[in-house]
């Protein structure tokens, strides 16, 4: 417990946010299944994750599975998520997950505005790419380019495309998280 508290104050954090059912818990499991302390619940019922769940990854950093917005949004969502984001001290990056089949929704736009307002560095991650063909993926990419000017400088310029089900894009995202948390050194760039 003491070690957990120590890590909580000193280790960097990365957060995963998105609409309910977008695949947050599945993605976290696909990214961190080799870490013994990361045990996420994946439910067929939307709105399963109701609080901020913190997981420590090998004494290196914390990841946070946040409650989904949209369906069955818990009443305390605004205070828990917004409260955390406003006061975050060790949060180095937030991953905003978007369902590839659905694209960017009004609810996602509210999250984007919130990132702007609080100046939170974030990355767009398109989930479930196994469910869409490459033309839809291309359309999605183009739709991001279209709204590029609305996206603030807090947005990382490269969106990630992943499938927790078949593993596409997972190794690249793992490396990116390793890099931004200071656990992976890249030379020659
Ligand atoms: N086909 C497919 N289904 C997925 C993928 N990721 C999640 N799902 C499904 O989407 C549903 C919601 O996933 P979950 O991780 O619980 O979403 P959360 O509410 O955002 O945490 C579950 O039925 C998952 O099996 C994926 O990459 N591909
Ligand atoms: Mg979940």
């Amino acid at each position: 417990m003491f070690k957990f508290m120590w890590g909580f104050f000193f280790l960097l954090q990365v957060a995963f946010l998105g609409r309910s059912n977008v695949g947050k818990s599945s993605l976290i499991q696909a990214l961190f299944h080799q870490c013994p302390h990361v045990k996420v619940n994946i439910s067929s019922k939307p709105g399963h994750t109701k609080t901020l769940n913190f997981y420590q990854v090998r004494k290196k950093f914390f990841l946070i599975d946040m409650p989904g917005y949209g369906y069955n949004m818990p009443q305390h969502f605004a205070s828990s998520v917004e409260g955390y984001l406003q006061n975050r001290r060790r949060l180095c990056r937030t991953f905003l997950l978007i369902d590839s089949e659905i694209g960017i929704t009004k609810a996602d736009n509210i999250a984007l505005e919130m990132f702007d307002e609080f100046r939170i560095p974030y990355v767009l991650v398109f989930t479930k790419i196994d469910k869409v063909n490459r033309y839809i993926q291309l359309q999605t990419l183009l739709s991001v380019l279209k709204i590029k000017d609305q996206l603030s400088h807090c947005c990382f310029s490269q969106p990630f495309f992943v499938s927790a089900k078949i593993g596409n894009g997972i190794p690249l995202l793992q490396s990116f998280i390793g890099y931004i948390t200071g656990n992976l050194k890249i030379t020659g760039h």
Side-chain angles (χ1 to χ4, degrees):
M1 185 64 187
F2 175 74
K3 279 187 187 156
F4 185 89
M5 291 303 287
W6 176 88
F8 187 75
F9 287 113
F10 293 103
L11 296 177
L12 288 175
Q13 301 172 355
V14 293
F16 293 80
L17 185 66
R19 287 172 64 251
S20 193
N21 220 35
V22 69
K24 284 183 299 300
S25 302
S26 305
L27 179 61
I28 290 171
Q29 193 179 62
L31 289 167
F32 302 105
H33 64 276
Q34 286 169 331
C35 303
H37 301 301
V38 182
K39 301 237 177 300
V40 286
N41 292 317
I42 297 171
S43 166
S44 52
K45 285 193 207 126
H48 184 81
T49 308
K50 292 198 168 71
T51 54
L52 273 72
N53 290 311
F54 289 76
Y55 301 98
Q56 192 171 337
V57 179
R58 296 193 192 285
K59 298 181 189 164
K60 300 287 187 192
F61 62 93
F62 268 93
L63 67 89
I64 308 162
D65 185 9
M66 293 183 149
Y69 47 76
Y71 181 86
N72 194 16
M73 198 187 307
Q75 296 215 320
H76 63 263
F77 179 89
S79 55
S80 63
V81 174
E82 285 191 29
Y84 168 77
L85 290 176
Q86 284 181 65
N87 294 309
R88 86 277 175 199
R89 296 219 168 77
R90 309 296 300 159
L91 180 66
C92 67
R93 204 68 65 126
T94 297
F95 294 88
L96 180 66
L97 275 53
I98 311 240
D99 192 320
S100 297
E101 268 194 319
I102 300 172
I104 298 176
T105 64
K106 280 184 187 162
D108 297 324
N109 281 324
I110 294 171
L112 292 171
E113 283 166 17
M114 186 170 73
F115 294 152
D116 262 3
E117 190 184 335
F118 304 145
R119 294 178 190 277
I120 291 164
Y122 66 94
V123 181
L124 294 177
V125 179
F126 289 92
T127 61
K128 309 186 188 181
I129 56 163
D130 58 284
K131 290 176 95 177
V132 298
N133 64 34
R134 76 184 91 141
Y135 303 107
I136 306 271
Q137 271 185 54
L138 183 59
Q139 262 178 10
T140 307
L141 186 59
L142 295 174
S143 72
V144 174
L145 293 180
K146 248 190 206 161
I147 59 159
K148 193 165 70 42
D149 295 338
Q150 285 153 250
L151 300 174
S152 68
H153 57 275
C154 298
C155 183
F156 186 65
S157 51
Q158 165 74 48
F160 286 81
F161 289 86
V162 297
S163 165
K165 190 171 177 188
I166 58 171
N168 288 24
I170 299 297
L172 183 60
L173 192 50
Q174 283 170 327
S175 305
F176 182 74
I177 294 170
Y179 176 73
I180 58 170
T181 54
N183 293 296
L184 179 70
K185 300 277 175 269
I186 309 275
T187 51
H189 69 106

